[in-house]
Amino acid sequence: MMSGTMALNVPGLLAMVGFYMLILGTGIYASLRSRREEKNWTGHGLEITLLAGRKINLIVGIFTLTATWVGGGFILGIAEATYNPTLGAVWALMPVPYVLTFFLGGFFFAKPMREKNYMTMMDPFQKKYGNGVATALIFPALIADVLWVARTLVSLGGTMRVILDLPYVYSILISSVVAIVYTLLGGLYSVAYTDVIQLSLILVSLALGGLAYQAFYQRILASSSYTQAQLTCFVSSSFCLVLGIPSILIGAVAASTNWNSTAYGLPTPYERGEAGSVLPIALQYLTPTYVSIIGIGAVAAAVMSSMDSALLSSASLFSSNIYKNMIRKQASDYEMRLVIRISVVVVGLVGTGLCFLDSSVLVFWLVGVDMSFTIMFPQLVCVLFFEVSNSYGATMGLIVGVLMRALSGEPLIGLKPVIPYPGLRLNRENTLTQYFPFRTTIMLMSLLSILLFSWLAVMIFDKKLLSKKWDVYHINSGWESPEDKRARENAVVSKRLMETSC
């Protein structure tokens, strides 16, 4: 507990009420627009709710993609990582990977995903591997989204508790309800338009204070063209880099502050186990009151912009890839809208529940990103860019990725390592920690496993080492090398020319 007795911060609370009313109003406007669009829409009904009819313009696209990534976990997580003495100054570079994510997404992933008019990130898996394997791969993506919801709410709960002296439980529940309601109202239209308001607040407020997620592809697929999707990625990357600087500065200032000379007193936030709330603590005790109130608005805006994206992302995966494609293929647009709403509520409730298990933004952030990188990223690369990949390889890649990640341990969640990589030693908190780049190693092992076992499956069935009746995935084993493919196409062209000449 912090020194002294704090009373409810009435001006700050009123500012938060005003912010939430603005967000709900925007959600209602987006809902009305979404209904008007539905009346004139001749395509798939899900495209309006999940992808805003693929009509998101460039400006709104940049705002919503940036606001989705610059969330509460981003702002508080970077400050916590920079401040935490056990992590080191290299963690101040955390915004840089976001820039790389957008550039890689824009250069390599935006075009194939948008050109083929996929509805979700999992569509290429379902089309190439079938429903069974795709379903297994959907769960890591869903878990990452639920962790995303949890980390965004934890960041807001800690901030409100410090600055407004509002109980942690109340701030979590209020923010969760608001985000669920306005996401239900207007789908991606609601998310996109409220992101414009939220990011505007973040830009102003932070100035005073100092790739394998479905949500990313949801913005790519909602763009009117793949060129616009690419441009959105490139511009958003620069915003993410700039918006990470204030959190780094605040974390660094907090690390060098003599807390005994402030009203906060000793012990320090880290010694009290409050490193996850170091940004709001710094705003509360090291800045004027009006700055801290604006700061809570910035964090709340960031939380809302990320949480609604995670909610709609999870709803997209379940409704489109599981319910529509597997459970009820004949489901009507009305039924699908109902399924999406139920999915949003369920994911919101599960994510809210996780907030009471751990109060560290960094834990939820790193575990979620870790899962996306080690398990989903190699799968996405193979399904989009390697023709040889098939269900057998994807299954083995998933098993290798999950098993190796579990055996490597994770001190953030108390999972002890079984595999002793080079450099395994105790950290400053007396916890066994892997200092070897094992996550990248696991990602590469998973990727190579997908390609190797895919190729082996093709060879086994092509060479008739096993009967076709054992081909449980019914793969297209007629895979051919690029050279063989060009030779076959040339032969077909030559045959047609001969037939024409005759």
Side-chain angles (χ1 to χ4, degrees), residues 329-384:
K329 295 184 178 180
Q330 71 276 23
S332 65
D333 289 345
Y334 173 79
E335 183 179 343
M336 290 308 301
R337 285 195 293 271
L338 183 61
V339 170
I340 291 170
R341 291 189 174 101
I342 294 174
S343 302
V344 166
V345 174
V346 170
V347 173
L349 292 177
V350 174
T352 302
L354 289 176
C355 294
F356 304 107
L357 298 180
D358 200 297
S359 61
S360 173
V361 178
L362 203 59
V363 168
F364 290 117
W365 188 10
L366 293 181
V367 172
V369 172
D370 191 328
M371 185 177 298
S372 297
F373 176 64
T374 57
I375 298 174
M376 289 307 300
F377 177 70
Q379 296 282 355
L380 190 63
V381 169
C382 289
V383 77
L384 289 178

Side-chain angles (χ1 to χ4, degrees), residues 317-335:
L317 293 175
F318 177 79
S319 59
S320 179
N321 296 105
I322 296 180
Y323 192 85
K324 179 69 174 178
N325 289 348
M326 298 173 59
I327 301 175
R328 285 266 298 169
K329 295 184 178 180
Q330 71 276 23
S332 65
D333 289 345
Y334 173 79
E335 183 179 343

Side-chain angles (χ1 to χ4, degrees), residues 379-396:
Q379 296 282 355
L380 190 63
V381 169
C382 289
V383 77
L384 289 178
F385 303 111
F386 290 92
E387 188 178 350
V388 69
S389 67
N390 55 44
S391 301
Y392 293 100
T395 302
M396 290 305 300

Side-chain angles (χ1 to χ4, degrees), residues 225-244:
S225 66
Y226 80 82
T227 52
Q228 180 185 309
Q230 290 177 315
L231 186 57
T232 299
C233 291
F234 300 148
V235 176
S236 297
S237 67
S238 60
F239 277 112
C240 283
L241 185 62
V242 171
L243 292 173

Side-chain angles (χ1 to χ4, degrees), residues 418-482:
V418 176
I419 301 176
Y421 291 96
L424 176 65
R425 62 181 185 271
L426 294 173
N427 63 14
R428 294 173 65 174
E429 296 178 327
N430 247 7
T431 304
L432 270 178
T433 304
Q434 306 274 18
Y435 288 91
F436 184 79
F438 68 96
R439 294 180 182 86
T440 302
T441 302
I442 294 172
M443 183 275 291
L444 293 174
M445 289 177 63
S446 179
L447 189 146
L448 292 175
S449 298
I450 297 169
L451 298 178
L452 174 62
F453 285 98
S454 293
W455 177 79
L456 285 175
V458 170
M459 291 299 103
I460 287 172
F461 291 115
D462 269 358
K463 301 292 184 182
K464 298 183 180 179
L465 299 177
L466 278 179
S467 171
K468 287 284 187 182
K469 67 180 181 181
W470 295 103
D471 184 7
V472 294
Y473 284 136
H474 306 290
I475 64 171
N476 178 18
S477 57
W479 178 80
E480 54 190 351
S481 66

Side-chain angles (χ1 to χ4, degrees), residues 130-449:
N131 289 334
V133 176
T135 301
L137 292 171
I138 283 174
F139 282 102
L142 286 174
I143 292 172
D145 280 342
V146 172
L147 291 173
W148 192 356
V149 171
R151 77 171 182 250
T152 53
L153 286 176
V154 164
S155 63
L156 182 58
T159 303
M160 284 184 151
R161 178 180 60 84
V162 171
I163 295 181
L164 300 183
D165 198 31
L166 195 65
Y168 179 79
V169 174
Y170 292 167
S171 61
I172 292 289
L173 295 178
I174 293 171
S175 300
S176 178
V177 169
V178 171
I180 290 173
V181 168
Y182 83 74
T183 303
L184 290 175
L185 287 173
L188 189 59
Y189 270 124
S190 175
V191 173
Y193 286 129
T194 51
D195 278 348
V196 173
I197 294 176
Q198 291 155 355
L199 186 58
S200 299
L201 288 172
I202 293 171
L203 287 168
V204 174
S205 305
L206 285 184
L208 292 174
L211 224 359
Y213 276 102
Q214 155 66 8
F216 172 75
Y217 293 99
Q218 198 154 20
R219 275 111 189 110
I220 296 300
L221 297 173
S223 299
S224 58
S225 66
Y226 80 82
T227 52
Q228 180 185 309
Q230 290 177 315
L231 186 57
T232 299
C233 291
F234 300 148
V235 176
S236 297
S237 67
S238 60
F239 277 112
C240 283
L241 185 62
V242 171
L243 292 173
I245 294 174
S247 293
I248 295 172
L249 295 176
I250 292 174
V253 167
S256 61
T257 294
N258 179 7
W259 290 99
N260 194 37
S261 63
T262 69
Y264 184 86
L266 292 177
T268 66
Y270 177 76
E271 293 167 339
R272 299 188 196 192
E274 296 180 341
S277 301
V278 70
L279 186 142
I281 290 173
L283 288 176
Q284 175 73 359
Y285 292 94
L286 305 179
T287 65
T289 303
Y290 73 91
V291 173
S292 64
I293 292 176
I294 296 175
I296 182 66
V299 176
V303 168
M304 291 295 115
S305 64
S306 290
M307 184 174 172
D308 54 25
S309 300
L311 291 173
L312 195 59
S313 171
S314 304
S316 303
L317 293 175
F318 177 79
S319 59
S320 179
N321 296 105
I322 296 180
Y323 192 85
K324 179 69 174 178
N325 289 348
M326 298 173 59
I327 301 175
R328 285 266 298 169
K329 295 184 178 180
Q330 71 276 23
S332 65
D333 289 345
Y334 173 79
E335 183 179 343
M336 290 308 301
R337 285 195 293 271
L338 183 61
V339 170
I340 291 170
R341 291 189 174 101
I342 294 174
S343 302
V344 166
V345 174
V346 170
V347 173
L349 292 177
V350 174
T352 302
L354 289 176
C355 294
F356 304 107
L357 298 180
D358 200 297
S359 61
S360 173
V361 178
L362 203 59
V363 168
F364 290 117
W365 188 10
L366 293 181
V367 172
V369 172
D370 191 328
M371 185 177 298
S372 297
F373 176 64
T374 57
I375 298 174
M376 289 307 300
F377 177 70
Q379 296 282 355
L380 190 63
V381 169
C382 289
V383 77
L384 289 178
F385 303 111
F386 290 92
E387 188 178 350
V388 69
S389 67
N390 55 44
S391 301
Y392 293 100
T395 302
M396 290 305 300
L398 178 62
I399 293 173
V400 169
V402 172
L403 187 61
M404 290 298 297
R405 187 62 195 90
L407 295 177
S408 298
E410 180 51 69
L412 289 174
I413 58 175
L415 186 63
K416 295 182 178 179
V418 176
I419 301 176
Y421 291 96
L424 176 65
R425 62 181 185 271
L426 294 173
N427 63 14
R428 294 173 65 174
E429 296 178 327
N430 247 7
T431 304
L432 270 178
T433 304
Q434 306 274 18
Y435 288 91
F436 184 79
F438 68 96
R439 294 180 182 86
T440 302
T441 302
I442 294 172
M443 183 275 291
L444 293 174
M445 289 177 63
S446 179
L447 189 146
L448 292 175
S449 298

